Amino acid sequence: MASERPLVIVTRKLPDVVETRLRELFDARLNLEDKPFSRDELIAAVKEANVLVPTVTDRIDRTVLSQAGPDLKLIAQFGTGVDNIDLDTARNRAILVTNTPGVLTEDTADMTMALILAVPRRLTEGAALLKSGGDEWHGWSPTWMLGHRIYGKRLGIVGMGRIGQAVARRAKAFGLQIHYHNRRRVSSDIEQALEATYWDSLDQMLARMDIVSINCPHTPATYHLLSARRLSLLKPTAYIVNTARGEVIDENALARMIDNRELAGAGLDVFEHEPAVNPKLLRNERVVVLPHMGSATLEGRVDMGEKVIVNIKTFLDGHAPPDRVHPAMF
């Protein structure tokens, strides 16, 4: 009977193939209009659902979870990051949390590499100039729209997990020298394959890099990891690329330093106060900004949905879901 199936509430519109499968397996309540849930709607959902499927933009904090009904047993996050969920409160209330790791690695690394290319080579400036219909361009010129080559430059990767390593593989193929800082040093086999240099000190690495790529998760320990002080260590010719989480960088300090030409520029797909973006970043032509689309491929979203479904089905069948999140992981 349909009434005996677990109630799964999904907070955002998902790909059709994922939603169809959710409806086939569960009593799935979908968000076909794709309107983000308000706080009151989130509270109503956790009071009623057996399983909640939120996304990284839904704030599932202590206040929300404290009002969860006794039947809420699983939060199956549609996304890798879980900084939007109060994991300690979920654990205390015996609510399991899962995520969707691994499936977005290549997509996010592709976008990171695109920004590493776009900022020094001024790609968006050139494209905007032609599309504006202006008369500034009169044909090829030896000194027009000069940028900087990336070949031979030093790339410092902050966070050498799956995505950081995928970025390193791509960057190595473009002739960049790979450096990294990570909570734990990766194996010697990985270092050798990537020809990567490890820095125990983030400060020392930053001072020597030409390009810095942020690829670590947002946790209390990484909030403003690139603080105003650390940003000041960078060379004025350095670029920053961030496809991880906006909160990792002090956005106000970054915008101010680029405005003052204390940094050469930035490529940003994420922002500290999304969906708001610092106006200084928007109007600076040396900053390439994207609307958090690093993982936005149809293939990636379907893969995420399939992981959500496997986590829910495995849990409901009485087994440990494959992507269970433990607070210690973050």
Side-chain angles (χ1 to χ4, degrees), residues 23-324:
R23 289 294 300 272
E24 289 172 346
L25 293 171
F26 318 113
D27 179 14
R29 185 179 300 171
L30 307 177
N31 182 355
L32 299 179
E33 295 183 358
D34 200 28
K35 180 183 176 183
F37 275 26
S38 67
R39 193 168 187 78
D40 288 343
E41 288 172 323
L42 283 174
I43 291 172
V46 299
K47 285 181 177 179
E48 187 179 2
N50 302 117
V51 178
L52 181 71
V53 180
T55 68
V56 296
T57 59
D58 297 307
R59 186 168 177 78
I60 316 296
D61 57 18
R62 181 179 301 177
T63 303
V64 172
L65 287 175
S66 67
Q67 300 186 62
D71 295 329
L72 180 64
K73 299 301 181 182
L74 175 66
I75 297 175
Q77 172 97 322
F78 185 88
T80 301
V82 290
D83 50 298
N84 59 309
I85 302 171
D86 187 327
L87 297 178
D88 290 329
T89 301
R91 183 190 64 228
N92 292 336
R93 295 184 65 89
I95 301 170
L96 263 66
V97 177
T98 61
N99 64 345
T100 59
V103 295
L104 303 179
T105 299
E106 303 304 327
D107 296 332
T108 306
D110 284 346
M111 189 62 78
T112 304
M113 197 65 222
L115 288 171
I116 289 172
L117 286 164
V119 182
R121 293 303 306 271
R122 305 174 66 180
L123 298 187
T124 59
E125 287 181 68
L129 185 145
L130 289 182
K131 288 191 173 184
S132 69
D135 57 359
E136 291 184 62
W137 188 55
H138 303 288
W140 182 88
S141 165
T143 57
W144 179 247
M145 289 294 294
L146 296 182
H148 292 278
R149 69 166 59 130
I150 66 168
Y151 179 85
K153 298 296 193 298
R154 293 186 178 93
L155 171 67
I157 297 174
V158 181
M160 199 60 143
R162 293 188 188 95
I163 295 174
Q165 291 175 36
V167 171
R169 289 195 299 271
R170 288 159 173 77
K172 180 174 175 286
F174 277 85
L176 285 131
Q177 299 177 39
I178 309 303
H179 297 251
Y180 78 98
H181 170 81
N182 198 49
R183 184 171 54 176
R184 298 183 185 89
R185 188 169 184 170
V186 301
S187 70
S188 58
D189 289 345
I190 294 175
E191 283 190 353
Q192 290 175 16
L194 298 175
E195 299 178 19
T197 300
Y198 172 68
W199 292 83
D200 179 63
S201 167
L202 177 59
D203 288 7
Q204 290 185 20
M205 184 184 81
L206 292 175
R208 293 164 172 82
M209 296 300 106
D210 300 302
I211 304 168
V212 173
S213 176
I214 308 300
N215 300 107
C216 62
H218 172 226
T219 69
T222 63
Y223 175 77
H224 280 193
L225 182 66
L226 266 70
S227 59
R229 181 191 68 79
R230 282 205 168 108
L231 290 171
S232 69
L233 300 174
L234 290 161
K235 299 184 291 187
T237 54
Y239 300 93
I240 290 184
V241 169
N242 188 7
T243 57
R245 284 290 185 270
E247 295 90 341
V248 177
I249 301 179
D250 184 335
E251 194 170 277
N252 285 327
L254 176 66
R256 181 177 65 252
M257 291 180 67
I258 296 175
D259 267 359
N260 294 338
R261 296 191 174 273
E262 296 168 10
L263 287 172
L268 306 172
D269 186 46
V270 290
F271 306 93
E272 187 172 353
H273 304 290
E274 291 185 22
V277 181
N278 189 309
K280 289 184 178 179
L281 295 174
L282 289 174
R283 64 173 175 255
N284 194 313
E285 63 183 12
R286 291 179 294 119
V287 179
V288 176
V289 291
L290 298 175
H292 203 151
M293 54 189 288
S295 61
T297 67
L298 177 59
E299 296 87 348
R301 296 290 190 249
V302 171
D303 288 346
M304 291 169 68
E306 290 176 350
K307 270 191 170 284
V308 167
I309 291 169
V310 168
N311 283 323
I312 297 173
K313 190 73 168 61
T314 305
F315 173 76
L316 294 175
D317 287 343
H319 304 292
D323 301 309
R324 181 178 179 180

